[in-house]
Amino acid sequence: MRCGLLILAPMLLLAGCDDMNHQPRYDSYEKSRLFADGKALQAPPDGTVARDDLQNVRALADRPAMNIELLQRGQQEFGIYCTPCHDNAGYGNGTVPARGFPHPPSFHIDRLRQAPSRYFVEVISKGHGVMYSYADRVSPGDRWAIAAYIRALQLSQGASVASLPPEDQAQLKRTGS
């Protein structure tokens, strides 16, 4: 009985503490002494993008035209964001898997060769498996650029020497590669 009272008394005292539900705070348009402009609602930092920003949604919907600038941008962004796991050639043997993380699939398997470019954009946007979303790091246009570069990697790894221009074939013969 005495033990029950020892447990019950602190519980009753704690029940009267409702500080977590009734904390001091400001409403959005309330005046505040915290900021120099006197407003509680502050403008978001530069570069902040709303989750469903219409401009981003449109940029993801519209596939850009293929050109050398897009491929170069894709190569640059792929080198920054994708190479640590996927390696430079896209086989999934980057430095991150070499340290014990799961290997991502090679971009050169049939399933990914057959996948539409939009699939790569979606994976960059939403993540897949153990890969997390890069939507907050890679702009919509750069996601399309990376997808275009992945397509170039797929073509480069499956190309025959006969499909190369004669000057490139001659260079390969000279270098012995």
Side-chain angles (χ1 to χ4, degrees):
M1 175 81 170
R2 193 174 202 176
C3 182
L5 285 175
L6 287 174
I7 293 172
L8 186 59
M11 289 177 65
L12 289 173
L13 288 172
L14 287 174
C17 299
D18 200 15
D19 291 341
M20 292 301 285
N21 288 328
H22 300 287
Q23 296 182 20
R25 65 174 178 81
Y26 289 105
D27 289 325
S28 295
Y29 295 99
E30 192 174 352
K31 292 186 181 204
S32 167
R33 295 185 312 229
L34 292 174
F35 301 104
D37 64 1
K39 298 176 187 173
L41 181 65
Q42 298 293 300
D46 289 339
T48 301
V49 177
R51 195 174 279 265
D52 291 324
D53 180 41
L54 289 177
Q55 188 175 8
N56 279 349
V57 171
R58 276 189 225 108
L60 281 173
D62 298 331
R63 181 180 179 171
M66 181 66 73
N67 57 43
I68 192 66
E69 291 82 19
L70 184 74
L71 285 174
Q72 288 171 338
R73 180 67 180 175
Q75 182 180 24
Q76 178 185 15
E77 296 295 301
F78 184 91
I80 294 168
Y81 296 106
C82 308
T83 297
C85 293
H86 292 277
D87 76 58
N88 287 325
Y91 284 98
N93 298 318
T95 56
V96 172
R99 288 175 171 77
F101 283 83
H103 284 262
S106 168
F107 290 130
H108 308 292
I109 62 174
D110 285 338
R111 177 178 64 86
L112 294 180
R113 284 183 179 273
Q114 302 303 321
S117 296
R118 176 165 293 289
Y119 172 78
F120 299 111
V121 172
E122 291 295 319
V123 169
I124 296 167
S125 299
K126 297 177 182 172
H128 184 78
V130 296
M131 177 182 156
Y132 53 82
S133 167
Y134 279 83
D136 62 336
R137 296 168 186 83
V138 181
S139 72
D142 286 345
R143 291 177 222 169
W144 280 110
I146 290 171
Y149 183 70
I150 290 170
R151 289 294 185 216
L153 281 176
Q154 290 172 330
L155 286 172
S156 73
Q157 300 302 300
S160 68
V161 174
S163 68
L164 294 173
E167 58 273 6
D168 290 340
Q169 290 181 29
Q171 183 178 359
L172 281 174
K173 286 179 184 174
R174 282 193 304 271
T175 61
S177 298

